[in-house]
Amino acid sequence: MVVNSIRERTIAENSMVVLLQGLQGEVTTVDLRDESSARGLVLNVDAFMNIRLKDVLFLDRRGQTAQLQDLFITGRNVRYVHIPDHVNIMKTMESQLAKIHRVRNFAGGGRKEFGGRKK
Amino acid sequence: MADEAEQQPSTNTVEEPLDLIRLSLDERIYVKMRNDRELRGRLHAYDQHLNMILGDVEETVTTVEIDEETYEELYKSTKRNIPMLFVRGDGVVLVAPPLRVG
């Protein structure tokens, strides 16, 4: 569930995208910049706020609905993300950050992300 | 800020514009957004991009219709309420304490 790229991890942990990443598996509504909206299950959110949704009810600007199995939304096109009532924001962000830190500390003898100290 | 769960802000003084927003945490605020939108809600969290989490938010969308014959401008506003909203920072124009009427 944690992204593999070091660059994405750093971008994510320094912004609030981590909260959206913690919404994976929840059904939410994403309002797009062009006034359309998409309601579906969040499959994945990356550091750039690109969102993948599944089983989506898509409402376009004119109010016409469409059922989509899979939808990819570019981060730039997101205006709002509705957070479900039962989600605890602080806990979600803390657990996402903990996952990132666990991955970073994994296999301490491996490649270091922030060049090691000189002895 | 995303890291606030792990470390408290080290200073209480206002040093940069984002600190002014920090003073409004947990308070109700007014947010002016692009495309003639306004939000009024409680600020729960924000980051350097001005991505924000607002609770109990009321969104107002203002539209102008022009009467074709009289060329009168008719201002309409549509409101909706959302319990908890994540707002992407690039749509935010300004953040202020709620406007007092009168």
Side-chain angles (χ1 to χ4, degrees), chain A residues 1-63:
Chain A
M1 272 229 188
V2 189
V3 292
N4 294 316
S5 143
I6 292 170
R7 186 165 160 257
E8 277 196 51
R9 271 207 296 273
T10 313
I11 294 173
E13 82 170 332
N14 286 318
S15 82
M16 282 183 45
V17 154
V18 287
L19 172 64
L20 297 185
Q21 291 179 329
L23 291 182
Q24 287 166 19
E26 305 280 345
V27 175
T28 59
T29 305
V30 180
D31 288 359
L32 278 66
R33 232 174 18 164
D34 71 351
E35 331 255 328
S36 51
S37 73
R39 179 166 180 80
L41 188 94
V42 178
L43 285 176
N44 191 50
V45 180
D46 70 9
F48 309 103
M49 220 182 283
N50 296 327
I51 302 176
R52 256 190 78 213
L53 295 172
K54 177 173 100 136
D55 296 331
V56 178
L57 183 69
F58 187 81
L59 203 80
D60 77 7
R61 288 173 295 161
R62 296 189 187 87

Side-chain angles (χ1 to χ4, degrees), chain A residues 11-20 31 33 35 48-49 75-85 89-90 93-94 97-98 101, chain B residues 1-6 33-35 37-39 44-49 51-53 59 61 80 82-90:
Chain A
I11 294 173
E13 82 170 332
N14 286 318
S15 82
M16 282 183 45
V17 154
V18 287
L19 172 64
L20 297 185
D31 288 359
R33 232 174 18 164
E35 331 255 328
F48 309 103
M49 220 182 283
R76 283 278 290 150
N77 285 309
V78 173
R79 178 181 279 144
Y80 305 132
V81 178
H82 296 236
I83 312 276
D85 289 333
I89 294 169
M90 283 310 287
M93 290 205 284
E94 282 169 13
L97 289 172
H101 292 158
Chain B
M1 302 272 214
D3 276 331
E4 239 159 33
E6 302 180 301
M33 296 193 51
R34 301 178 66 174
N35 294 119
R37 280 157 197 266
E38 297 160 4
L39 297 174
H44 286 287
Y46 72 98
D47 68 9
Q48 71 275 29
H49 304 294
N51 294 327
M52 292 187 283
I53 303 250
E59 180 204 34
V61 186
R80 64 172 171 156
I82 301 148
M84 189 68 73
L85 197 67
F86 178 101
V87 181
R88 188 176 155 101
D90 62 8

